[in-house]
């Protein structure tokens, strides 16, 4: 049975939630305070870059299942039986999650509510937030407002696929009526349900991202060790990943994780732990390893090119991962300023991402412009285009010693070397042994 749903926030999570629920047949209104965004979406244009989203946007609007609104007409009118909160929780300067947008929305909904509804929290909020919001706002409302913690596990670039083919749906609620409504909402998705209390659901979200981050920092430590001892991280990852208890995913070594989720969520979890009097030692190391890992290309380029101020360096990739234009917490944001500060002329090429991380570095529209005369090229993002490069032509374009630092271990090392380029990577076997501590 179609349900009436309101999704507050048309950022990444909100928009994907809205279009996917509309595709499942629900009657969805997506709300955002940003009128320009709402106008753009209402005209059928997506405000985010995500494969498949434009199609779901058009089909949702054509079927009448999907509409957009600003809160101008009053929250009371906008509240549905299921009202999903999907606004941003960016990182505050102290590392905590900034909940100000969540509080504004929840208090507005609670104040305006004149009939019962279920509030579904999809924003990533720290453990204890659900209890605090209920106590402060929802319990004060004149009608019953149920609360469900329903975290998302969507990857950028694969969000639509992840929505419909999720490994699990987590429903944290204290009352059966709210859970029953949520089961109805997700009736067409074939995935196991994890039904639990609110605090446990909130913890599942942070623990999932922290565990995946831990896998990445772990394999990066092993890769650095491989560099020190001359072992090969590709073989090691394959060899350990075949053990089903370990699993193959998230064992790709490189210059570490970025994006809007892992860096923010690991730091927020560390903050929550500290606030609760617990020192989460392992998590602190995961964060430290990641902060250090992204400096690897700078360390090695500086070591190989002491006269950096006379050199040009090409940065290949700005986005935190391929198939997105998102540069948030991309390693490029640390690498580029450091190289520029050393006096290097830095030229950046990315097929999609356009945000410039630093003044003084130039973004070029053509990869060959970036490579021309460069003494080193750092692969920050594993775009397919970089894997398919004509390495002979790269060698001719670059200046000596023509270093290719493969920060994502994504290139064919033999092909790069065969063209006469100097290949460096993270823990891949070769003539270069550059353990970070060496
Ligand atoms: C991540 C999670 O994968 C989603 O499940 C979660 O819902 C989302 O955060 C979120 O909390 O909203 P996302 O940030 O889109 O999704 O990116 P991932 O594909 O997970 O990659 C994160 C970073 O880890 C990227 O910088 C990627 O390059 C890096 N990574 C990933 C590695 O360095 N090695 C790997 O083996 C895998």
């Amino acid at each position: 049975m179609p349900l009436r749903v309101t999704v507050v926030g048309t950022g990444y999570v909100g928009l994907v939630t809205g279009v996917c629920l509309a595709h499942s047949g629900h009657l969805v209104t997506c709300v955002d305070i940003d009128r320009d965004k709402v106008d753009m979406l209402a005209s059928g244009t997506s405000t985010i870059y995500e494969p498949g989203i434009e199609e779901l946007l058009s089909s949702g609007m054509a079927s009448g299942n999907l509409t957009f609104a600003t809160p101008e007409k009053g929250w009371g009118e906008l509240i549905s039986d299921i009202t999903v909160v999907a606004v941003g929780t960016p990182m505050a300067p102290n590392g905590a999650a900034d909940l100000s947008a969540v509080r504004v929305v929840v208090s507005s909904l609670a104040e305006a509510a004149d009939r019962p509804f279920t509030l579904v929290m999809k924003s990533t909020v720290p453990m204890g937030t659900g209890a605090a919001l209920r106590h402060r706002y929802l319990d004060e409302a004149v009608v019953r407002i149920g609360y469900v913690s329903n975290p998302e596990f969507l990857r950028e670039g694969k969000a639509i696929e992840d929505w419909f083919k999720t490994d699990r749906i987590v429903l944290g609620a204290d009352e059966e009526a709210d859970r029953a409504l949520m089961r109805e909402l997700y009736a067409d998705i074939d995935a196991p349900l994890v039904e639990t209390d609110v605090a446990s659901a909130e913890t599942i979200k942070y623990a999932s991202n922290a565990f995946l981050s831990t896998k990445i920092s772990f394999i990066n430590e092993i890769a650095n060790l491989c560099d020190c001892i001359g072992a090969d991280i590709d073989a090691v990852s394959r060899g350990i990943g075949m053990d089903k208890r370990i699993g193959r995913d998230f064992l790709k070594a490189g210059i570490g994780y970025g994006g809007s989720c892992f860096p923010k969520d690991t730091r927020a979890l560390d903050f929550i732990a500290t606030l609760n009097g617990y020192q989460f030692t392992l998590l602190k190391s995961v964060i430290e390893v990641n902060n250090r890992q992204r400096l690897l290309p700078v360390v090695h380029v500086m070591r190989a090119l002491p006269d950096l101020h006379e050199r040009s360096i090409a940065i290949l990739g700005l986005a935190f991962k391929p198939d997105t234009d998102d540069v948030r917490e991309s390693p490029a944001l640390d690498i580029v300023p450091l190289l520029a500060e050393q006096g290097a002329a830095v030229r950046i090429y990315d097929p999609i991402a356009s945000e410039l991380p630093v003044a003084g570095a130039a973004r070029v529209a053509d990869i060959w412009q970036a490579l021309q005369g460069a003494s080193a090229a750092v692969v920050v993002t594993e775009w397919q285009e970089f894997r398919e490069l004509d390495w002979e032509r790269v060698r001719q374009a670059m200046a000596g010693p023509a270093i290719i630092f493969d920060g994502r271990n994504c290139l064919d090392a033999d092909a790069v070397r065969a063209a006469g380029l100097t290949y460096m990577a993270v823990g891949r076997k070769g003539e270069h042994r550059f353990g970070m501590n060496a």
Side-chain angles (χ1 to χ4, degrees), residues 132-321:
L133 292 173
R134 274 187 295 177
H135 180 70
R136 188 161 164 197
Y137 305 112
L138 307 186
D139 293 350
E140 302 293 312
V142 292
V143 290
R144 176 192 175 271
I145 305 177
Y147 187 93
V148 180
S149 167
N150 175 216
E152 51 81 25
F153 303 100
L154 309 170
R155 288 165 299 172
E156 286 192 32
K158 300 242 166 29
I160 308 288
E161 183 186 327
D162 284 350
W163 178 277
F164 291 108
K165 290 190 193 148
T166 182
D167 291 339
R168 78 297 207 191
I169 293 170
V170 175
L171 302 177
D174 293 338
E175 292 186 42
E176 174 49 27
D178 298 309
R179 283 203 209 102
L181 200 57
M182 294 303 287
R183 285 195 290 269
E184 225 183 294
L185 185 71
Y186 291 125
D188 66 323
I189 297 180
D190 181 21
L193 296 177
V194 180
E195 299 196 16
T196 180
D197 59 277
V198 172
S200 303
E202 290 168 343
T203 309
I204 289 169
K205 171 65 189 180
Y206 277 97
S208 299
N209 277 359
F211 187 79
L212 294 171
S213 305
T214 303
K215 270 188 109 172
I216 297 170
S217 279
F218 177 83
I219 204 66
N220 284 337
E221 289 267 69
I222 297 288
N224 295 343
L225 189 59
C226 283
D227 262 337
C228 296
I229 62 173
D232 180 40
I233 192 62
D234 292 346
V236 175
S237 287
R238 209 167 51 246
I240 65 174
M242 282 177 183
D243 185 327
K244 290 193 193 68
R245 294 168 302 175
I246 295 172
R248 292 166 201 261
D249 295 337
F250 283 73
L251 287 183
K252 187 84 182 155
I255 52 175
Y257 58 78
S260 63
C261 304
F262 288 176
K264 165 174 90 76
D265 293 349
T266 45
R267 270 174 259 174
L269 185 57
D270 180 41
F271 187 88
I272 303 162
T274 306
L275 208 60
N276 284 278
Y278 184 71
Q279 289 304 311
F280 200 153
T281 315
L282 176 61
L283 186 63
K284 286 184 194 301
S285 298
V286 167
I287 296 167
E288 193 187 322
V289 168
N290 197 61
N291 290 342
R292 191 193 59 194
Q293 203 68 13
R294 52 178 53 204
L295 302 184
L296 267 181
V298 181
V299 172
H300 295 312
V301 167
M302 279 172 62
R303 204 177 279 178
L305 305 171
D307 52 348
L308 206 51
H309 54 284
E310 292 165 15
R311 306 278 191 169
S312 286
I313 309 290
I315 300 293
L316 304 186
L318 257 183
F320 82 96
K321 67 174 187 180

Side-chain angles (χ1 to χ4, degrees), residues 4-6 27 29 76-83 115-118:
R4 282 196 180 277
V5 184
T6 298
L27 303 170
T29 306
E77 296 243 329
L78 293 168
I79 291 170
S80 296
D81 298 342
I82 295 183
T83 299
R115 62 206 149 92
F117 74 98
T118 299

Side-chain angles (χ1 to χ4, degrees), residues 62-119:
S63 66
N65 285 0
L66 185 62
T67 51
F68 295 92
T70 64
E72 273 163 19
K73 63 177 182 174
W75 284 109
E77 296 243 329
L78 293 168
I79 291 170
S80 296
D81 298 342
I82 295 183
T83 299
V84 180
V85 177
V87 294
T89 53
M91 186 162 51
N94 61 3
D98 178 351
L99 296 179
S100 44
V102 167
R103 285 198 199 97
V104 169
V105 171
V106 173
S107 63
S108 308
L109 292 171
E111 252 173 53
D114 55 6
R115 62 206 149 92
F117 74 98
T118 299
L119 189 151

